[in-house]
Amino acid sequence: MADFRDAEQAVGEARDFFTEDARLHRIRYHLLRLGAMAPLSEQEVDELGEFARLVFLGDGGAADVAAKITGRPDASPLAVALASVVPTQEGSGFFSVDPREVLTSAISAAYLCTGQLAGVDRSLLAPVGALAGATAVLLRPVVTESISEVSSDDYLRMQD
């Protein structure tokens, strides 16, 4: 069973790895590290790199690359999660959120889930982390809007 008493250490480790890779100024290094731990195949690293490039350009071709990744029966859970969670076209329901932020949040959350938490299957937890990171970003406008309709004190009050 997973033990989350070391959560602070796990978050620190994920932060350090993500920061180290970000300083290399290539998304490829994020994908290579995740690939070594989650795992991702070399093909998936290349495809996810192309997907990220198109997401950052705002090019509609990102949806095609996502479909290619998710359509492969041998695609890893992490590759499918990353390609599936990022809104790639208008009308996706969450397009008011910057897809670049969704992608980088999904990647950073996947880092946490490839850490050294005892009793955790990283190959399955990393995709869940990616989904959780993206969900947090996608839903942030809902919380922000809700808080803007009442005071923060009202929003945080535990009584009805």
Side-chain angles (χ1 to χ4, degrees):
M1 170 170 273
D3 183 356
F4 292 97
R5 286 183 252 295
D6 292 330
E8 182 178 0
Q9 180 181 342
V11 169
E13 180 181 276
R15 178 203 59 224
D16 293 347
F17 284 147
F18 190 88
T19 302
E20 178 181 314
D21 292 344
R23 287 186 175 140
L24 297 171
H25 304 292
R26 301 285 186 279
I27 196 156
R28 177 169 185 75
Y29 294 109
H30 294 296
L31 296 172
L32 287 171
R33 184 173 314 258
L34 288 174
M37 300 174 94
L40 293 170
S41 70
E42 191 173 313
Q43 177 183 0
E44 289 170 329
V45 167
D46 291 341
E47 289 172 343
L48 286 167
E50 176 64 6
F51 175 70
R53 187 182 72 76
L54 295 170
V55 166
F56 271 74
L57 289 174
D59 188 319
D64 294 334
V65 176
K68 180 179 176 182
I69 293 168
T70 61
R72 264 199 346 272
D74 64 337
S76 71
L78 181 56
V80 170
L82 291 172
S84 297
V85 75
V86 178
T88 56
Q89 51 195 329
E90 293 288 344
S92 65
F94 291 110
F95 209 75
S96 63
V97 176
D98 186 340
R100 299 171 299 184
E101 188 176 352
V102 175
L103 178 60
T104 55
S105 295
I107 289 171
S108 66
Y111 266 70
L112 173 63
C113 296
T114 59
Q116 299 302 315
L117 292 172
V120 173
D121 180 348
R122 297 184 305 194
S123 68
L124 295 178
L125 192 58
V128 172
L131 297 177
T135 300
V137 171
L138 291 168
L139 295 179
R140 185 178 56 227
V142 174
V143 173
T144 303
E145 180 180 329
S146 182
I147 292 171
S148 73
E149 292 174 2
V150 298
S151 69
S152 295
D153 289 339
D154 282 346
Y155 184 79
L156 296 171
R157 188 178 56 224
M158 298 300 289
Q159 304 82 9
D160 283 332

